[in-house]
Amino acid sequence: KVEQKTIKNNITLSLYNYSVTSTMTPFRSISLTALLLGTAAADSADSVSSRLQVHVPQTLFRPEGYDHREALFGVPPYGGSIAQSVYYADSDLCDPTVDTRKGYPIRAKDNNGKMEPWPTPYILMVDRGGCSFVQKVRNAQRSGAAGVVIADNTCLCSDKDCVSANGQDVCQPAEPIMADDGSGGDISIPSFLMFKVDADEIKAELRANHMVQIEMQWALPKPDDRVEYDLWTTPSDVVSKDFQKKFKPVAQALGDRAYFTPHMYIYDGIKSNCQGFDGENMCFNLCTNNGRYCATDPDNDLDHGISGADVVKESLRRICIWKHYGEQDGVGTQWWDYVQAFMERCDNPDYFMNDDCAGDCYKHANINQDIIDRCMRDSGGLEKDTPNTFLDLEMQAQVSRGVVILPTAFVNTVALRGGLSTATVFTAICNGYLDGTEPKICEECESCGDFDECIANKKCKSKGGGGGVSTHTFMSSILFICIAFGGAAFYHYRKTREEMREQVRGILAEYMPLEGEDGAVGSPMDFARRGGSENLMMS
């Protein structure tokens, strides 16, 4: 199913397709199938960094919270939470036209006799099935939901009570991973998958027209005044390229207050049966060291272009660069420079495996090529059936950390969900410091309207999101507007006063001349010309 798809499934599926269509010998097709099976059987630990709790009604409150799965898309508010009333859509929400006047609890009717829509902000509960997780959450987002809880519709096989109570013939060995279907870049709200046995209780309360309040919370460990963050990727990974091009200034701005470690994802060829009993490489050019260390073919052409073995070689090269030019300070300016230069110069089928191109990148990043070449050889190299120390360490780390999705960033050992962006990782890092120990750059730039400029200048000129203006500019604008309106009001007052005087003069001029106290005949205009200073009511 689409909703159960992971990066590994995509990779192995493409490998399987090419094993059928490519003009390869039979043993190559068999070896690719072996890599497919080995990958599919890999551990898929899903480290949960969030918490799901029901606060209302109190009878559903659990001190330890509710088991759930986090979506690998959307933008969770790390260090924060969403606590809102829940509304059950009573639908799988696969139709993009969402009727917000349906569902439970039942609301009052408006003047047109229709039930009131879900009052914002709210968390929407929808049923699993019918379409991908991404499609459901996208439709909920468009309807105004602040978060989404997807109610599972299948019992876990280990939950015998659930299976027997529902009379289901089908059960699932584990909850599915809420993976991105490839189109989730526009999702900005978080979402969880709730186990069926728990979701049924919530739905029962809502169907009974009882209000339910749920809290979705994301917390990062805050051990001390330094944050450790990691990036798991591969040299051929397309998704992380933009992040790797832009994050260097952030790493430099954080300085020694944050320690970065890049990791290269390597497939275990031995577990995938890519190494035969006689030590022969059974997976053709996907692996090095006689089938020990493997990577997927980035251009899906096993006979031409970049091979998996080329990706493994570049992975080892980047590991060695970090060992000598980044591991000591945790910033790795030269490592970032090399990676950016490689993406600009060598990231294509013609130059990816070209040592001269890599040499140019060394020069650009001020890296000693002899040191890196020696590191690659001394770690075990990439030839023959010999283990490589650094590649073995990477495989051990990815298993212990439970990495199954690429790319994945970790902050204080917690996997970040959602799209990999510079601002998202920076925000998570800033929320990983012990309270009161956040560096100044976090206070200055975390909520800055122009994030990139703030990082470059280490000062925000436009506080507040969405490209706001500075306080000086705002106050100057207000002062200018006040002066302009004041001037216009004064001009209007003077003009109106003069017009009223002209009207009075015209009215008085229509009367007959009046006789004064001394018997002289005067003109009514004399009074008008004197500005109306005499009392017309004099006796």
Side-chain angles (χ1 to χ4, degrees), residues 193-494:
L193 174 70
M194 197 173 195
F195 293 12
K196 175 177 171 56
V197 64
D198 299 324
D200 286 349
E201 291 187 53
I202 305 296
K203 289 194 289 186
E205 285 289 327
L206 295 172
R207 286 181 178 276
N209 296 319
H210 298 157
M211 186 54 65
V212 176
Q213 187 182 72
I214 282 181
E215 181 179 21
M216 306 167 72
Q217 185 179 39
W218 295 263
L220 291 174
K222 301 183 178 184
D224 49 37
D225 61 353
R226 191 182 81 160
V227 169
E228 297 179 358
Y229 64 108
D230 309 67
L231 173 66
W232 284 89
T233 183
T234 67
S236 59
D237 176 42
V238 176
V239 178
S240 64
K241 288 181 180 178
D242 186 65
F243 173 82
Q244 293 182 78
K245 288 179 181 178
K246 296 180 178 179
F247 200 77
K248 172 191 165 184
V250 180
Q252 292 175 319
L254 291 167
D256 60 1
R257 298 297 308 279
Y259 189 92
F260 174 60
T261 304
H263 291 281
M264 300 294 116
Y265 194 96
I266 306 296
Y267 289 88
D268 190 332
I270 294 178
K271 287 185 178 180
S272 301
N273 296 320
C274 281
Q275 188 179 75
F277 294 108
D278 55 356
E280 183 182 2
N281 184 356
M282 302 296 293
C283 288
F284 187 43
N285 62 356
L286 294 176
C287 308
T288 65
N289 303 70
N290 284 38
R292 283 179 175 269
Y293 311 107
C294 306
T296 56
D297 192 305
D299 48 22
N300 291 327
D301 187 344
L302 296 174
D303 296 316
H304 305 91
I306 306 170
S307 68
D310 295 329
V311 176
V312 174
K313 181 179 180 179
E314 178 60 24
S315 297
L316 179 59
R317 180 182 286 126
R318 295 187 185 187
I319 292 171
C320 282
I321 292 173
W322 180 258
K323 292 289 182 183
H324 289 275
Y325 293 93
E327 192 173 60
Q328 184 174 357
D329 64 2
V331 176
T333 299
Q334 289 160 287
W335 185 90
W336 291 105
D337 287 339
Y338 170 83
V339 171
Q340 184 169 358
F342 188 91
M343 287 189 288
E344 292 173 353
R345 292 170 165 81
C346 312
D347 194 16
N348 58 72
D350 294 328
Y351 293 101
F352 191 96
M353 68 292 296
N354 189 301
D355 290 334
D356 291 336
C357 188
D360 289 339
C361 298
Y362 288 143
K363 294 177 182 178
H364 175 80
N366 196 23
I367 291 173
N368 189 321
Q369 181 172 348
D370 293 335
I371 293 177
I372 304 304
D373 289 344
R374 189 184 315 118
C375 171
M376 295 175 69
R377 290 194 305 270
D378 293 346
S379 63
L382 298 170
E383 306 295 333
K384 300 180 181 180
D385 184 16
T386 56
N388 186 289
T389 303
F390 291 157
L391 296 182
D392 282 336
L393 288 174
E394 289 295 273
M395 291 194 302
Q396 293 170 14
Q398 68 198 30
V399 171
S400 62
R401 187 59 62 87
V403 180
V404 294
I405 303 296
L406 296 179
T408 295
F410 288 81
V411 174
N412 287 349
T413 72
V414 173
L416 302 187
R417 307 306 189 189
L420 181 66
S421 69
T422 301
T424 300
V425 175
F426 176 76
T427 301
I429 290 173
C430 290
N431 280 281
Y433 290 100
L434 186 67
D435 292 341
T437 66
E438 298 86 354
K440 186 177 180 181
I441 193 68
C442 287
E443 300 174 3
E444 193 69 32
C445 299
E446 189 175 0
S447 60
C448 186
D450 193 337
F451 175 77
D452 293 334
E453 183 184 16
C454 182
I455 291 296
N457 300 324
K458 296 185 179 180
K459 184 175 180 61
C460 182
K461 296 182 179 180
S462 54
K463 278 290 184 183
V469 297
S470 65
T471 302
H472 179 268
T473 303
F474 176 75
M475 295 304 297
S476 299
S477 300
I478 292 296
L479 179 61
F480 174 78
I481 293 172
C482 290
I483 293 174
F485 274 99
F490 181 73
Y491 172 77
H492 180 72
Y493 166 75
R494 292 291 300 272

Side-chain angles (χ1 to χ4, degrees), residues 513-523 526 530 534 538-539:
L514 300 177
E515 184 178 30
E517 294 179 355
D518 55 358
V521 177
S523 171
D526 292 338
R530 291 192 293 270
E534 296 183 14
M538 289 178 59
S539 57

Side-chain angles (χ1 to χ4, degrees), residues 23-173:
T23 56
M24 298 186 297
T25 57
F27 85 90
R28 291 181 184 175
S29 297
I30 294 172
S31 65
L32 287 175
T33 305
L35 181 58
L36 169 99
L37 295 175
T39 302
D43 185 16
S44 60
D46 185 25
S47 178
V48 176
S49 62
S50 57
R51 179 181 175 86
L52 178 61
Q53 182 61 273
V54 177
H55 293 292
V56 179
Q58 185 64 27
T59 54
L60 294 181
F61 177 84
R62 294 181 183 177
E64 70 282 3
Y66 283 80
D67 289 332
H68 62 283
R69 290 290 179 268
E70 296 179 68
L72 303 183
F73 52 88
V75 185
Y78 288 105
S81 65
I82 299 175
Q84 298 294 338
S85 298
V86 182
Y87 289 91
Y88 174 45
D90 196 20
S91 165
D92 58 18
L93 224 69
C94 291
D95 189 340
T97 305
V98 179
D99 188 353
T100 61
R101 296 179 181 273
K102 294 178 60 178
Y104 300 92
I106 294 175
R107 283 85 64 201
K109 293 184 178 180
D110 59 17
N111 295 332
N112 297 323
K114 295 182 178 180
M115 190 160 59
E116 294 282 356
W118 304 316
T120 56
Y122 59 87
I123 295 174
L124 192 62
M125 175 172 276
V126 303
D127 293 323
R128 179 189 170 190
C131 57
S132 70
F133 290 127
V134 171
Q135 187 173 340
K136 295 174 186 290
V137 178
R138 178 182 292 112
N139 292 337
Q141 177 177 291
R142 290 173 178 172
S143 75
V148 179
V149 175
I150 297 177
D152 203 350
N153 55 7
T154 306
C155 295
L156 290 171
C157 296
S158 58
D159 191 344
K160 303 300 181 183
D161 293 336
C162 177
V163 175
S164 60
N166 289 271
Q168 293 182 341
D169 297 329
V170 179
C171 61
Q172 56 189 2

Side-chain angles (χ1 to χ4, degrees), residues 172-191:
Q172 56 189 2
E175 292 292 337
I177 296 174
M178 291 185 68
D180 191 341
D181 64 2
S183 67
D186 62 331
I187 305 298
S188 60
I189 63 173
S191 55

